[in-house]
């Protein structure tokens, strides 16, 4: 199963692994935030959340501020 099929904890764990590797690069990524939110309210989703969510991340590499988000459907397998 992919991370989105595994729920919020799996998604955050997978994203954190990628960002930790970027933090070890040169120049390093300095993480500002990594959060999984409800797309309607932008509040953090609960551990057992299924359905739509947005993975939002921001960080800095040197003087460059990077912001991104990815819409996800939690609790469903990707095909």
């Amino acid at each position: 199963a992919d991370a989105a099929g595994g729920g919020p904890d799996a998604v955050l764990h997978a994203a954190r692994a990628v960002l930790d590797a970027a933090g070890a690069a040169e120049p390093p990524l300095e993480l500002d935030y990594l959060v999984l939110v409800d797309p309607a309210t932008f509040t953090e989703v609960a551990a057992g959340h299924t359905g739509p969510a947005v993975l939002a991340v921001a960080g800095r590499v040197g003087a460059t501020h990077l912001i991104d988000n990815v819409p996800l459907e939690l609790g469903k397998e990707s095909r």
Side-chain angles (χ1 to χ4, degrees), residues 33-70:
Y33 63 81
L34 172 65
V35 64
L36 197 54
V37 298
D38 180 299
T41 64
F42 283 91
T43 58
E44 284 192 62
V45 300
H49 178 83
T50 60
V54 174
L55 180 65
V57 62
R60 295 180 186 279
V61 176
T64 304
H65 194 212
L66 305 167
I67 301 171
D68 202 0
N69 64 75
V70 178

